[in-house]
Amino acid sequence: MEPNVSRSQLREILLIVGPAVLLVAGAFWLAFQFVEPAPPKVVKLSAGNAAGAYYAFALRYKEILARSGITLEVTESAGSVENLSRLNDHASGFKLALMQGGIADQKRAPGILSLGRVFVEPVWVFYRGEPIERLAMLAGKRIAIGVPGSGTRVLAETLLKQNNIDEANATFVPKGGKVAADALIAGEVDAVFLALAAQSPLVDKLIRADGVRLLSFTQAEAYSRLLPYLLPVTLPAGVISLVGNLPPQDVTLLAAKAALVAREDTHPAILELMAAAAKEVHGGGGMFQRAEEFPKSHDPEFPVAEEAKRYYDRGPGILQRYLPFWLANFVERTFVMIVPIATILIPLVKIVPWLYDWRIRQRILYWYGQLKGVEQKLAAAAGKPVGSALVDDIHRIEDAVSTIPVPLHYSDKLFELRGAVDMVRQRVLARA
C-alpha cells in the first residue's frame, strides 16, 4: 500500500508545484529578454591622424579603459569624415569615434549617439602677404583646405562658402597638417586651414615663421550665429611665448566643439565607461576652456546617450563606485532578472504550501461529506433495516479513507476521519 500512497503524494506535489515551476521559468525567460549581454572585451575607436590631438586623446581613453579590463583599439584615420564613414559601416566593427563639429547631424547620420562635446578645436588660418581681416579677402588665393576625408576640409569649405569663395575664384589645394604648413612656409600656397590644439608643434612653428600671419576672425560672432557648432575664442597675447610675446596681440579664433560619438548599438556599459574617460581626460581647464566646462551633455547635432547624461549629471552609480567594473556590471545585469522573478517567487512561496494544505483539507472534507450522506440515508430509514447498498457505501468510504495520501502533520485529521467512518460503519452494520 505504501508505494501507492507515495505515488499519489508525488502526483499531488507535481500538480501543485509543476505550474509554479513553469511560471517561474516563464518569468526567467521574460526577464532574460531585457538583460543586456556582457560588455565586449575589445572595442574599436576611429581617431585621426597619429600626429593630431584626436589620436593623442584616444590613447588616453585607452589607458583608462584598460583599468576596467576593456581593450580600446585605436585606429588612425584621415579625419572626422572617415570616422563617420567607419561608424556608418556596420561591417567595419567600429563603435566609437571622435568627431569635429559641423561634419554631420542626426538627419545625415542616423544611428549615431553623442557622448557629449568634449573639447574645443580652434580653426587656425595662417597666410602670407599683406594683412587681411576677413576670409572674403582670400578670393583668388591658393588655399590648403585639408586632405579628403578630414574634418578640416569640410569646415574650411563651409567657411569659404559663407564668403562666396569656391574653386571658381580660388585654388583649393588638398593638403593638410604638416604638409600644408611646410607648403605655406615654402610659399607654395598662400593660406592654410588647420584644426589643431593650441599646444600643437605646428601652431608654434607657423606662428614663429617669417612672413606668416595668423588671421583674427573679426566676424567671429556672426559665424557663431550662422554655424551654431562654432564659437568664438580668444588667443591671448603672449600665450604661445611670453618671452617672444607671441602672438603680439589678442587673436580671435573660431573653435569647433569636438564630440565623442558612438553607434547606437554600443553596449551601455561601454558608453558609461567612455563618458567616465571623457570626464577624466577633458574635465580640466585649458587655454580655451575653464575647468569642468567639458565634457558637455548637450549636443546640437546628435542625440546624447542617456548613459552619458546620467554620468555627467550624477557621477558614477553606487555599484561603480565601490565594485570593479566587471562585478558591478554583473550585479546590474542580474538585478534586472531578480526583481521580476522575486515579484513572482515571493508570493508563490506562500501560496504553494497554502494551496497544498487546502487540497488535503478538501480531500478529507469530501469524505466527511460522503459519510454525512450515509448518515442521512440511515436516518431516513427511520429505524428500519437498511439494504446492502448502504453497506456497500460505507465499505467503499472506509476503503478510500484508508488510502488517502496526507502529510504527516495531517495524520491526526485522518485518524479522526477514520474514527468517524468506523462509528458510522458500526451503526450501518447494526441496522443491516
Side-chain angles (χ1 to χ4, degrees), residues 32-372:
F32 188 75
Q33 308 309 307
F34 298 95
V35 175
E36 288 283 349
K41 295 293 185 183
V42 180
V43 186
K44 295 177 69 175
L45 182 147
S46 185
N49 187 283
Y54 283 14
Y55 198 87
F57 286 136
L59 292 181
R60 293 182 64 186
Y61 300 155
K62 181 177 182 177
E63 293 176 4
I64 295 169
L65 263 65
R67 301 176 201 159
S68 299
I70 304 297
T71 300
L72 185 66
E73 289 187 357
V74 178
T75 304
E76 187 178 1
S77 75
S80 296
V81 175
E82 186 176 2
N83 291 350
L84 181 63
S85 176
R86 286 174 173 176
L87 288 187
N88 285 331
D89 180 10
H90 181 70
S92 70
F94 285 92
K95 295 291 187 181
L96 302 163
L98 282 162
M99 189 79 61
Q100 180 179 293
I103 299 301
D105 56 23
Q106 188 178 11
K107 292 181 179 178
R108 289 181 285 172
I112 302 297
L113 293 176
S114 172
L115 300 184
R117 296 288 162 154
V118 290
F119 61 92
V120 293
E121 189 176 22
V123 180
W124 310 81
V125 180
F126 289 98
Y127 64 96
R128 300 183 68 87
E130 296 299 318
I132 62 175
E133 299 178 352
R134 296 178 290 111
L135 283 181
M137 298 173 70
L138 289 177
K141 305 288 187 181
R142 299 167 297 170
I143 310 169
I145 59 172
V147 298
S150 67
T152 302
R153 186 185 182 99
V154 174
L155 185 55
E157 289 177 337
T158 301
L159 291 172
L160 291 171
K161 185 178 179 180
Q162 293 288 326
N163 290 274
N164 295 325
I165 297 177
D166 55 26
E167 292 185 277
N169 57 11
T171 302
F172 289 175
V173 180
K175 293 182 179 181
K178 184 177 183 302
V179 175
D182 291 342
L184 180 66
I185 292 172
E188 297 171 4
V189 296
D190 301 311
V192 297
F193 278 77
L194 299 171
L196 298 169
Q199 297 85 355
S200 170
L202 280 184
V203 172
D204 185 78
K205 179 179 180 179
L206 287 173
I207 213 165
R208 296 175 186 273
D210 293 335
V212 175
R213 303 176 187 271
L214 175 60
L215 174 68
S216 182
F217 286 84
T218 56
Q219 299 170 312
E221 193 63 37
Y223 283 111
S224 68
R225 303 293 177 87
L226 296 171
L227 305 171
Y229 52 85
L230 296 176
L231 74 159
V233 295
T234 300
L235 184 70
V239 74
I240 302 296
S241 172
L242 288 171
V243 176
N245 192 32
L246 297 174
Q249 63 275 329
D250 289 355
V251 179
T252 302
L253 302 176
L254 288 173
K257 289 174 279 189
L260 178 60
V261 296
R263 285 181 57 89
E264 63 181 0
D265 58 359
T266 306
H267 196 286
I270 298 300
L271 295 179
E272 187 168 349
L273 269 183
M274 288 303 300
K279 185 79 171 177
E280 183 174 336
V281 172
H282 306 291
M287 192 175 295
F288 298 111
Q289 65 192 63
R290 299 182 182 89
E292 303 297 324
E293 184 178 356
F294 288 94
K296 290 183 177 180
S297 59
H298 170 72
D299 194 311
E301 295 171 316
F302 296 103
V304 180
E306 289 300 322
E307 292 79 5
K309 283 182 181 178
R310 186 167 57 249
Y311 188 89
Y312 298 147
D313 293 342
R314 308 176 199 169
I318 294 177
L319 294 177
Q320 284 75 13
R321 291 177 187 176
Y322 302 107
L323 297 177
F325 169 75
W326 67 269
L327 183 55
N329 182 257
F330 174 78
V331 172
E332 284 182 344
R333 292 167 57 234
T334 305
F335 188 73
V336 173
M337 296 188 66
I338 288 175
V339 171
I341 291 169
T343 304
I344 295 174
L345 197 58
I346 291 173
L348 281 179
V349 169
K350 297 180 179 180
I351 290 173
V352 168
W354 175 87
L355 186 59
Y356 182 68
D357 288 348
W358 177 82
R359 284 185 60 85
I360 298 299
R361 289 196 303 269
Q362 288 300 109
R363 183 174 292 114
I364 292 175
L365 289 174
Y366 171 79
W367 292 112
Y368 270 118
Q370 294 287 308
L371 197 59
K372 186 69 174 176

